[in-house]
Amino acid sequence: MSRRSALAALGAAGLLLLSGCGGAPTAGPAPGSDQPTAAEAVYAEVGALSGTERRDRLVQLAAEEGNKLSIYTSLNADIADIVVPQFEQATGVDVDVYRADSETVLQRTLQEAQAGFAGADVVETNATQMAIIADQGLTGDYRSEYRDKINEQFQYQGWTPTRFNIFAPAWNTNLVAGDLVPRSWEDLADPEYDGILSLEVSDYDWFMTLYGHFREQGMADAEIDRLFADMVAGSKVAKGHSGQVELLSAGEFGVVAASYTYLTEKARASGAPVDDQPFVEPVVARANGAGLLRSSTHPATAMLFLDWMLSDGQKIILDNGLTPAVMPDGTDPLAGLQVLPVDVQQLIDEGSEWSARYDEVVRGGEQLPEQ
């Protein structure tokens, strides 16, 4: 579905959703409108500031806005329940959180925009959904010294990464050692992995990115198709990355083709016999991030939150097993790695095609029930 058709389809349902929001719609910018908003004036003023001057101005303006903030996010509940209270404690801001899966966050944001309802001040969710929201002209310009520290490969227009999902093979150390430890993506097509390899059913973004990488390396499509078919032959196809890592830890299979590294590391920290080091490179990385909405009724408070999220909040992200956009000491968590960023625009434009292709590929494996 194209971005425009997605918005049109969702817009018809917008007023139904707003009837449950508790209040009449507040005027916001129409999707695609380039007319400046009051929020954008705040973003421009404060975006030119830095350091203590910036922080003091944001605190002042946030107080004038009533120290209120509305966030829509798909951040895991257990982590959101840490991030939000700590931000509230640090700033005195009262935060209203709407938490759902990334598609629902997207739908609600688009529906409210179509109806002219100013709901969220900040949206924080997955890359594809953030890119669609930004592409519809719903986000303002966020400039900050914190954003400048983020890996330049992930400097997106209209939104800013707050955390990364990094894809890398992981293995059960009780079952896989020595020469069986994968050292390249191509290794996973070797027949020695038949019966011990698992793929995840929804990883078409990983598939698309790696497919493009192999093309750039000079491989023909028929050769790439054969490589993925050989990976899937004898494999077990899991639903859900968390459950997949649990099965890996239990020895249900020996290798996961593309685990989220934070899940592997979390399992290892709990004592599970799993590892992903050294990473197979190039690692495939997809950003999750946040955008300041042009319709925000608390724009300074929104900026205060995103500044905090990209500074103090990054330690919370790291301490809870996720990969931050910026390390707490200001360094790049991807430094020293060969990185393949998921092409977010390609996901928007060609996602249905790549999803269908990947569905066809993974049909060749044994389908496991969802954990």
Side-chain angles (χ1 to χ4, degrees):
M1 179 181 293
S2 71
R3 291 154 285 173
R4 298 291 177 190
S5 61
L7 183 59
L10 291 168
L15 292 176
L16 291 176
L17 181 145
L18 292 172
S19 66
C21 288
T26 303
S33 168
D34 57 4
Q35 181 177 353
T37 67
E40 288 180 289
V42 174
Y43 301 152
E45 176 200 340
V46 181
L49 306 178
S50 62
T52 302
E53 183 183 13
R54 178 187 178 103
R55 167 78 181 191
D56 290 347
R57 181 60 173 154
L58 284 175
V59 169
Q60 176 193 353
L61 291 173
E64 294 174 5
E65 293 170 358
N67 282 328
K68 301 286 186 182
L69 184 67
S70 173
I71 300 174
Y72 294 176
T73 184
S74 60
L75 191 64
N76 291 343
D78 54 346
I79 300 175
D81 289 345
I82 298 172
V83 167
V84 171
Q86 292 205 26
F87 172 71
E88 290 178 319
Q89 183 177 7
T91 62
V93 171
D94 181 20
V95 180
D96 180 34
V97 179
Y98 172 75
R99 203 197 69 77
D101 64 78
S102 59
E103 283 297 328
T104 304
V105 167
L106 171 66
Q107 289 171 10
R108 180 168 179 147
T109 303
L110 294 182
Q111 288 167 354
E112 290 181 348
Q114 184 72 9
F117 184 89
D121 298 302
V122 178
V123 176
E124 199 274 359
T125 190
N126 293 350
T128 306
Q129 288 73 31
M130 278 310 316
I132 292 173
I133 292 167
D135 190 64
Q136 291 295 334
L138 302 182
T139 57
D141 184 27
Y142 172 70
R143 289 179 290 146
S144 81
E145 58 195 292
Y146 307 109
R147 175 181 166 90
D148 292 343
K149 295 176 182 178
I150 295 172
N151 187 299
E152 63 181 11
Q153 293 177 281
F154 298 90
Q155 293 281 349
Y156 299 114
Q157 184 172 355
W159 64 282
T160 301
T162 54
R163 50 198 167 96
F164 291 118
N165 283 346
I166 299 176
F167 296 91
W171 52 91
N172 184 304
T173 55
N174 290 336
L175 301 175
V176 173
D179 290 343
L180 201 55
V181 171
R183 290 170 173 79
S184 72
W185 292 108
E186 293 92 325
D187 282 352
L188 300 177
D190 194 291
E192 66 182 354
Y193 292 101
D194 288 357
I196 66 168
L197 181 66
S198 175
L199 285 81
E200 204 279 329
V201 71
S202 64
D203 277 347
Y204 70 91
D205 48 355
W206 163 78
F207 171 71
M208 179 193 78
T209 304
L210 206 53
Y211 204 105
H213 169 68
F214 290 143
R215 279 176 170 170
E216 290 179 357
Q217 298 303 302
M219 294 176 64
D221 283 9
E223 186 179 2
I224 302 170
D225 291 339
R226 171 50 55 193
L227 187 148
F228 279 106
D230 288 343
M231 282 191 200
V232 173
S235 71
K236 299 181 180 182
V237 180
K239 296 180 180 180
H241 290 96
S242 295
Q244 187 182 40
V245 171
E246 291 176 5
L247 292 173
L248 177 70
S249 301
E252 180 69 23
F253 33 76
V255 180
V256 168
S259 176
Y260 290 154
T261 58
Y262 79 86
L263 290 175
T264 307
E265 291 166 12
K266 184 177 180 180
R268 183 170 62 241
S270 70
V274 297
D275 203 354
D276 57 11
Q277 298 290 327
F279 288 150
V280 167
E281 296 186 59
V283 297
V284 176
R286 190 191 71 222
N288 303 297
L292 309 174
L293 293 196
R294 295 176 60 223
S295 60
S296 171
T297 54
H298 309 96
T301 318
M303 289 190 81
L304 184 64
F305 171 77
L306 193 47
D307 279 6
W308 179 89
M309 189 67 174
L310 292 173
S311 52
D312 293 349
Q314 293 296 280
K315 185 176 188 304
I316 299 173
I317 293 293
L318 181 64
D319 288 348
N320 284 274
L322 301 182
T323 303
V326 181
M327 295 297 285
D329 64 1
T331 59
D332 179 6
L334 305 176
L337 295 174
Q338 183 185 359
V339 179
L340 288 178
V342 173
D343 187 329
V344 181
Q345 192 61 50
Q346 186 181 11
L347 271 183
I348 294 174
D349 296 337
E350 304 173 14
S352 296
E353 172 193 338
W354 286 102
S355 178
R357 290 181 68 169
Y358 186 65
D359 285 347
E360 184 65 29
V361 168
V362 295
R363 286 197 190 111
E366 176 189 351
Q367 308 297 308
L368 300 178
E370 187 171 3
Q371 297 298 300

